[in-house]
Amino acid sequence: MTGPAGAKVAVLGGRRGLLGQALVRALAQAKALPLAVSSEDFDPLDERALTRFLKREKPDWVVNAVGYTAVDQAEDEPEAAFRLNRDLPALLGRVCAERGLLLVHFSTDFVFDGTSQTPYRPGDEPNPLSVYGASKLAGEQALAGLADTLILRTAWLFGPGRGNFVAKILDLARTREELTVVHDQEGSPTYTRDLADWTLALAASGTRGLLHLANAGRASWCELASEAIQLVGLPCRVRPILSAAWPTKAVRPPFSVLDTESFTQATGIAPRPWLQALRDYVFGDLKLGNRGA
Ligand SMILES: NC(=O)c1ccc[n+]([C@@H]2O[C@H](COP(=O)([O-])OP(=O)(O)OC[C@H]3O[C@@H](n4cnc5c(N)ncnc54)[C@H](OP(=O)(O)O)[C@@H]3O)[C@@H](O)[C@H]2O)c1
């Protein structure tokens, strides 16, 4: 495959999902033919509906940007999380393999427990701390060994089209003098527009298997919030707090920075720093009003 130009690509979650919408835009810009699919069209877990769709539309690839992404809620709804995060990729893997279609699937930094001192590589041992992380790991395992499959672990997404941490923080900062934000969790903030472009480059490079894909650099939630508020110029202070002072149902890894070296080796692309990407989001998308829900 030389590039996505001309390829028909079905993007599950492509109409309303944070990442799915970015993928549809990137595909259109790359002169592919994206098909943005929503759960309003059919239930992707309904095998008959899914195969009817594939027979009718005959896509060249399938991208799964569907996920059960409510990390805390998953603690109370493990069955729902596993259905979407494990059973759906398992089904997609099988039907795509039967038809010889490339399947691109996304996973998460939350498969790790955060005990590493250095950025996580794809081959590092996962040990999820939450139901969400465990369900995403089970999804990866369901696809392991399938030939024409890309499994991309990513992290801490921000971008236009749907609610995300940065947009929520900026909304709060408009009405508050001070925000308290967790400072003892470090990760890889990632811009959905960059991630979508890199996903297409990777798919076109012929690389398959499990890779990490994120913007360069690392940040705590507190640093990410502070930078976004400072860029916009809001007079809101950001006070760092420890996770222990902000209890959540799901336990998050204290460190989940992703090493993207294998992506760079495969494509020659060095991901740009998250701060540069954040500027484009704040001065581009948010200025244009693409804030999302
Ligand atoms: N957001 C992050 O920070 C982050 C970090 C690491 C990895 N990821 C991974 O990246 C992928 C995309 O995440 P995202 O943040 O873009 O997700 P998102 O905005 O929450 O969108 C997920 C999509 O999943 C679909 N969906 C949800 N429940 C469904 C159900 N019961 N049946 C069918 N479809 C359902 C929805 O499609 P409809 O709108 O059509 O119903 C929704 O648009 C996921 O695999 C996620 O695990 C995300």
Side-chain angles (χ1 to χ4, degrees), residues 70-122:
V71 176
D72 290 308
Q73 201 175 315
E75 298 296 311
D76 292 329
E77 296 184 342
E79 281 162 22
F82 272 83
R83 264 176 65 71
L84 219 52
N85 292 344
R86 176 196 57 200
D87 300 348
L88 179 60
L91 172 62
L92 290 171
R94 183 161 53 75
V95 298
C96 287
E98 282 164 8
R99 288 167 176 73
L101 302 177
L102 166 63
L103 171 64
V104 180
H105 173 72
F106 293 90
S107 190
T108 173
D109 54 333
F110 283 12
V111 298
F112 296 114
D113 63 14
T115 53
S116 178
Q117 308 289 316
T118 53
Y120 281 101
R121 294 177 180 190

Side-chain angles (χ1 to χ4, degrees), residues 166 170 228 231-232 277-287:
V166 175
L170 290 176
L231 283 175
V232 175
L278 183 68
R279 281 193 200 111
D280 281 0
Y281 175 54
V282 167
F283 296 125
D285 300 315
L286 292 184
K287 277 262 161 69

Side-chain angles (χ1 to χ4, degrees), residues 180-185 220-223 239-243 246:
T180 52
V181 186
V182 166
H183 189 47
D184 57 351
Q185 291 171 25
S220 73
W221 294 112
C222 180
E223 285 165 336
R239 191 160 58 82
I241 55 167
L242 298 176
S243 305
W246 187 264

Side-chain angles (χ1 to χ4, degrees), residues 57-81:
E57 299 294 346
K58 299 187 178 50
D60 300 297
W61 336 339
V62 175
V63 180
N64 180 26
V66 162
Y68 185 108
T69 56
V71 176
D72 290 308
Q73 201 175 315
E75 298 296 311
D76 292 329
E77 296 184 342
E79 281 162 22

Side-chain angles (χ1 to χ4, degrees), residues 12-20 37-40 42-45 64-69 84-85 88 105-109 132 136 153-158 162-163:
L12 306 186
R15 201 168 317 144
R16 297 188 300 195
L18 178 63
L19 175 56
V37 182
S38 165
S39 61
E40 286 178 333
F42 62 90
D43 175 0
L45 278 153
N64 180 26
V66 162
Y68 185 108
T69 56
L84 219 52
N85 292 344
L88 179 60
H105 173 72
F106 293 90
S107 190
T108 173
D109 54 333
Y132 170 73
K136 294 297 295 184
R153 287 193 189 128
T154 189
W156 295 33
L157 298 183
F158 62 86
R162 194 169 174 133

